Amino acid sequence: MSPRHTSIMGVINVTPDSFSDGGRWLDPDVAVARGRELAAAGADLIDVGGESTRPGSTRPPEAEERDRVLPVVSALAQQGYAVSVDTMRATVAQAALEAGAVLVNDVSGGLGDPEMGEMVAQTGARYVVMHWRGLLSDPAATHHYDDVVEDVCAELGERVEALVGQGVREEQLVLDPGFGFSKDASHNWALLAGLDRVVALGLPVLVGTSRKRFLGRLPVRPGAQLPDEPSPADRRDAATAATSLLAAQAGAWAVRVHEVAPTRDALAVWELTQGAARAR
């Protein structure tokens, strides 16, 4: 598969408490300018979210989430950019679609709001179904798996079946294996290694490893012990680019990243190398 077929989704968190960049893009004008920067760097889609899912975060009221998200979605859409909305609330998603968003990115896979499936079915919007066992702050969101790849595939399949039962068409759906959600580092590495099995389910796959905690604990040299403390989130972009390349090689439809340039360059290196190999 060519990396040209793997789109890049650039992230804008219009929140005060995101784990990766909390508060930097909370001002709507600053967020819109950031969206333009991400697009100029090579993002095919700008993902705007107004609710942090970091451990210990508190959900904002619905009205506050709308106030954070809608001005940014509307402004970027009016300027001709493809925009997605990162939300678990059907009402926020519908308002964002009306404001010009082209995709709904729901980390709960429809489990966070029972109205989401019906709304997606009615609007015909493209919809990302992420593997989810509850919010990161939810103690019931267990980390036990018999086989993390097999279990994630099975649970995503159950969500697809449920959404189709609500009238959503399969061609609207994108799968996300949910790196970092209800998974420890070993689960994340195993899921990355088995990503081709998620792709083999037959629906487009979105991969969001960007700046996740497991990428912050890498050995200084091969075979070295892992550090006790993870590196800061904004120092994980090189590792993010590496995992994005692995995702593209496995056949991912898109990768979701906070900094576009490192991933763009990683995919370009692969593309140019493949081109040279074909020309030999």
Side-chain angles (χ1 to χ4, degrees):
M1 178 177 180
S2 168
R4 285 189 175 185
H5 295 127
T6 299
S7 297
I8 299 176
M9 177 187 283
V11 181
I12 304 178
N13 294 309
V14 284
T15 63
D17 57 347
S18 168
F19 83 95
S20 63
D21 50 20
R24 290 188 67 187
W25 321 117
L26 188 57
D27 179 273
D29 292 335
V30 175
V32 171
R34 176 60 174 168
R36 292 196 295 265
E37 288 178 0
L38 292 171
D44 302 288
L45 193 65
I46 309 300
D47 194 43
V48 181
E51 176 179 355
S52 173
T53 53
R54 68 173 178 80
S57 61
T58 301
R59 298 198 71 184
E62 180 182 329
E64 184 174 346
E65 185 184 356
R66 291 168 63 99
D67 289 345
R68 292 175 182 178
V69 165
L70 295 183
V72 181
V73 170
S74 178
L76 289 171
Q78 288 177 14
Q79 293 172 33
Y81 299 105
V83 183
S84 61
V85 60
D86 179 358
T87 183
M88 294 184 281
R89 290 181 167 123
T91 53
V92 175
Q94 183 163 4
L97 292 170
E98 292 169 354
V102 297
L103 178 146
V104 177
N105 182 15
D106 181 359
V107 301
S108 80
L111 293 170
D113 185 342
E115 304 299 322
M116 184 68 85
E118 183 178 350
M119 187 281 298
V120 171
Q122 290 178 349
T123 61
R126 202 154 200 199
Y127 180 63
V128 177
V129 185
M130 198 189 82
H131 177 262
W132 194 72
R133 287 182 172 179
L135 292 170
L136 298 181
S137 56
D138 182 358
T142 63
H143 290 63
H144 173 74
Y145 298 91
D146 293 323
D147 177 317
V148 66
V149 181
E150 182 177 333
D151 291 351
V152 165
C153 287
E155 290 169 31
L156 283 173
E158 290 170 1
R159 290 306 308 142
V160 169
E161 184 177 350
L163 289 162
V164 169
Q166 290 180 282
V168 180
R169 292 173 287 108
E170 277 201 13
E171 54 265 35
Q172 292 177 248
L173 299 176
V174 175
L175 304 180
D176 182 341
F179 285 90
F181 286 80
S182 305
K183 301 170 185 73
D184 61 25
S186 65
H187 296 138
N188 290 320
W189 291 120
L191 191 56
L192 188 62
L195 194 58
D196 58 329
R197 289 160 61 187
V198 183
V199 172
L201 294 174
L203 292 174
V205 173
L206 171 66
V207 172
T209 58
S210 185
R211 296 183 174 179
K212 294 293 174 72
R213 183 181 178 87
F214 78 105
L215 297 183
R217 297 184 69 241
L218 302 176
V220 175
R221 57 186 60 85
Q225 187 174 357
L226 298 182
D228 292 332
E229 295 296 325
S231 61
D234 61 1
R235 296 183 187 175
R236 303 173 193 170
D237 292 325
T240 296
T243 56
S244 295
L245 177 54
L246 291 172
Q249 290 174 326
W253 164 75
V255 290
R256 183 179 183 273
V257 299
H258 294 85
E259 286 293 340
V260 170
T263 284
R264 175 204 64 202
D265 289 351
L267 298 186
V269 166
W270 181 30
E271 178 182 354
L272 292 170
T273 303
Q274 284 191 317
R278 287 192 295 268
R280 292 177 62 182

